[in-house]
Amino acid sequence: MREQKRQWWKESVAYQIYPRSFQDSNGDGIGDLRGIIQRLDYLQYLGIDLLWLSPVYDSPNDDNGYDIRDYHRILAEYGTMEDMDELLEEARKRGIRLVMDLVANHTSDEHAWFIESRSSKDNPKRDWYIWRPGRDGKEPTNWECGFGGSAWEYDEQSGEYYLHCFSAKQPDLNWENEQVRREIYAMIDWWMDKGIAGFRVDAITYIKKNPAYPQLEPENGRAYAAIEQASLNQEGILDFLREMKQEVLEPRGAITVAEAPGVPLSQIPDFVDETDGVFTMLFQFNHVDLDIKPGGKAEFIDWDMKKFKDALSLWQRESNKHGWMGLFLENHDHVRSVSKFGNDGAYREVSAKMLAAYYFLMRGTPFIYQGQEIGMTNCRFDSIHEYRDIGSINLFRDETAKGRSAEEIMDYLGRRSRDQGRTPMQWNAEAEGGFTSGKPWIKVNPNHTTINVEENMKNGDSVLQFYRRLIALRREHPALVYGYYEDLCMESAEIGAYRRIYEDELFVVICNFTDHPVALKELEEITFGGERVLSNYEEQEQGVLQPYEASVLRWPAGTGGHRS
C-alpha cells in the first residue's frame, strides 16, 4: 500500500445539506440559507467539519437548482449573497468548511449564455452549446436523456436541435469550446475567492460527447437509446479534467468530490490518484444501484448481501493503492438507507446504527446526508401529484402511457424516487416537523412525530448519539482514517466485516445485515482478544451476532493484534 499523506479532508466528517428541505426561516415552506445558519450549532454538536451544500444558485428550479441561471447569484427564495457570506463566516467560526456543487455539464435554458446562443446561428455564443440540424425530419440522433424522452430539443427560432443529457431546460455546454472552459474556470476562481473549500462536482463524466454523434442501438423495445452510451466517460474527457485541475483547482487548493458515474475500477488512478488524479475523492454508485436492471426502465432485479459487499470492497481494495473515496449510503438522489438496506420497522434504530458503523469506518471520507443521522425513512406518497422530482413525474407519465399500471410505477417510485431523500428534515414532533411554519414545498413524513432531532438529542441511546460516538471514535484513532482495508467474511450472505490496520493498531468492524441471530465459527476467531469499543447492543453473545448487530473491536499497538 502506498503511504497516504495526512490531509485535513481525509480526517474530516462531511454532511450534505439539501437546502430546500433543511430549515425554513421565513415561513414560505422552502428551506433557506438563514435556516442553515440557525442550525450550525447542531452540526457542530454532531461533530461535522465539512459541509456540502447542494445548489443555491439562481435557478428556475426545473431540476431543483441543478439548472443554473446565474452562477454568481443566489436564488431569491434561498436568500441573498450577503446571507451566503454570513453562512461561510459563521461556519468558519465553528470549524466547518463548506463545499458547493459545481454544475458544469449544463446550465439552465434561461442562462444568459444560452439566450444568446439560441438567438441566431451566427451568434458568437452559438458554439457554447451543442446544436445540430435534424435528420430525415427527426432528431439528430436517437439518444434518450436521463429524465426520459429524446435528448434533443427543437428550437423553432433557429430551426436546429440542442442537446440535453437531462431536462430539456438543462442544455449541455460544449466543452470543446475553449471559451466555455475559461468561463467555468473563472467561476470556480470567483467562488474560491468567497472562501469555500472546494466543490462536489456534479455529473462531470458527461462533459465529453462521442464526436461522431452516432445512432445507437435501443434496448427493450425503446424508441431511444440511453445517452450514456455516447456521453458518459468518453475517450478524451481526461484532457478536459486535467486542464481544469492544472488551470484552477490545484493552484487554488480546492478539494473536489466527483460524482463520476461510468468510471471503471481500472481508472481510479486517473481520477483520484494522490499525485496524478484529477480529483481529490470520488463517489461510486455500484452499491446503491444493485436493484436496478441494467438497460431496463423502472425495473428491479434481485440482489444480495454478497453483491453489496463486492460493490463496496472492490473500490475499497483499490483505494488501498490509489486515492481516496467519498463514503455514502444516502444523498439527494437516493432513497433512505434504513428503508433500502436495513429494516425501517421494528429494527429501525438498531439497523440504522449498524449501517452507520459499516460504511462510516471504511477507507475514505464519510458523508452523512441530512436526516440519516436520526434514521429518517422513506415516505409514502399516495399520488403522483405529491411528487416534485421531474425525473419521477416524467417516468410516471411515460411508462403509464406505454400501458404499465399506475400501481406498478408508484411502487417503483416508492422504492427509488429521488423525492424519498428530499422530504423535509424532521426537527421535532410539531406541525411539519419544525421545518417550516408554513406549507412545505413537499410533504413532511408523518413519522416525524416520533423520528426527529429533538427526541434523538434527549435519548442517550439514539441513532444520533451513535453517530456522535462513531465520529469521536474515528477522530481519536488514525487507523480508522488511514488504515489499510482488508475484507472479512466475504462468503457470508449475512455478515459484513472488515479490518483496518495502521501502525500496528488493528480494528475490526463486523455487522449482521439480517433480522435474526447469526452464528459463525469465523466470528470467534475474528474477534478473539479484541476490545469492543463500540456496539449498538448493550449485551453481546460470544460467537453470535444479534439481529442487525454491529460491533467495532480494537487491538492497540504493541499487543500484536489477532490477524488470523
Side-chain angles (χ1 to χ4, degrees), residues 338 343-356 372 374-375 377 450-452 455-456 459-464 466-467 536-537 547-548:
V338 72
N343 180 318
D344 62 9
Y347 291 102
R348 182 188 63 84
E349 288 197 18
V350 71
S351 67
K353 295 174 188 177
M354 180 277 293
L355 290 168
Q372 178 183 336
I374 61 171
T377 69
T450 55
I451 304 172
N452 59 68
E455 286 299 317
N456 270 255
N459 178 3
D461 193 38
S462 67
V463 179
L464 174 65
F466 189 83
Y467 268 94
N536 56 351
Y537 275 83
Y548 297 106

Side-chain angles (χ1 to χ4, degrees), residues 124 132 156 382 390 492:
R132 294 289 185 277
E156 292 279 355
D382 296 315
I390 183 174
S492 173

